[in-house]
Every structure is written in structure tokens, then in C-alpha cells.
Amino acid sequence: MSLQKAATEVRENAYAPYSGFQVGAAVRGASGEIYVGCNVENVAYPEGTCAEAGAIAAMVAAGETQLTEAYVIAGSPTPVTPCGGCRQKLAEFASADAVVTMATTGGAEQSTTVGDLLPGVFSASHMDR
Ligand code: THU
């Protein structure tokens, strides 16, 4: 299955009663396995959990800590871009050249990399003394 198909399908399960904005995400682990996530909101924290965070959590829960590619899709007018927190999460588990494809349900796609999404990323090396 393609990342595009996996992200598009899981988006149907998004729980977004507060924003009305459904997002689906899929990441490919270094093993080749695909992990998916959708956004899940709740009344106390209406922004909830992002689709990308859900896909990354599924990957880590399955025992993988490296992703090679990510795909995110929403019913937005232009390709949906990961929020700041998700950019840091992607950077934690991917190399800077890992491709992130952002898409709309209308068929538009735009690709970038984890490094370009988060220039100047804070990393463990900053804590070296
Ligand atoms: N959202 C995502 O799941 N991923 C993104 O990249 C952007 C935003 C979700 C969070 C919230 O449920 C809704 O979209 C509106 O912010």
C-alpha cells in the first residue's frame, strides 16, 4: 500500500468534532512497514493530538524509532503543513533529508524534507558540554 492511500484511508477515522478539520498521516518505518495516524480531539483540549503524532506513536509502539518518509493529507485549500510540535517529533525520528509530502484531498501535493521544515532544529548535540 502507498503512503498516500494509507493516509487518505485513515483520515476517514479522524475524530475532529471541534475543528471539523480531519487529517490523516502515514509514515514509513526503516523496516518498510507503514504506520498511520489521524487527529483525535477532545473537549478539554480541542486541538487534540495531531495525525502525524499519532502515526509516529504507532511506529514507536511497534518497536521502530526511525522513519524514512511521511505523508499528511487534509481537506485544506493548499497542502497541509505539519504544526511546530509535529516538526520536532518528525526531526526526532527522521534524518534531515527524509521526504515529507503534504497533500489536499483535492489532489494537490507538495514535497519537502524534515530539515527544510525545521531549520536550526534543537538537537541532543546542543546539550553537549
Ligand atoms: N492537525 C493535524 O492533525 N496535523 C497538522 O499537520 C495540522 C493540524 C489537526 C489538529 C487539530 O485536530 C486540527 O488539525 C486543527 O488544528
Side-chain angles (χ1 to χ4, degrees):
M1 184 184 292
S2 68
L3 286 186
Q4 190 266 346
K5 188 169 164 34
T8 301
E9 282 184 9
V10 74
R11 180 180 164 275
E12 295 297 320
N13 296 334
Y15 180 78
Y18 305 106
S19 69
F21 187 66
Q22 294 185 294
V23 187
V27 300
R28 190 182 304 281
S31 71
E33 190 70 32
I34 292 176
Y35 302 96
V36 296
C38 57
N39 55 330
V40 180
E41 301 178 348
N42 67 80
V43 67
Y45 303 97
E47 71 280 8
T49 306
C50 286
E52 299 91 321
I56 290 169
M59 179 187 78
V60 174
E64 291 205 59
T65 53
Q66 190 72 22
L67 69 88
T68 58
E69 211 184 330
Y71 194 103
V72 55
I73 186 166
S76 45
T78 55
V80 60
T81 65
C83 77
C86 286
R87 292 175 193 218
Q88 188 75 49
K89 292 180 181 78
L90 287 164
E92 181 75 23
F93 299 106
S95 59
D97 63 358
V99 174
V100 179
T101 301
M102 305 163 293
T104 73
T105 51
E109 277 190 355
Q110 192 184 331
S111 288
T112 184
T113 63
V114 168
D116 282 350
L117 281 173
L118 194 55
V121 60
F122 173 70
S123 66
S125 66
H126 288 109
M127 294 188 286
D128 287 347
R129 290 187 234 180

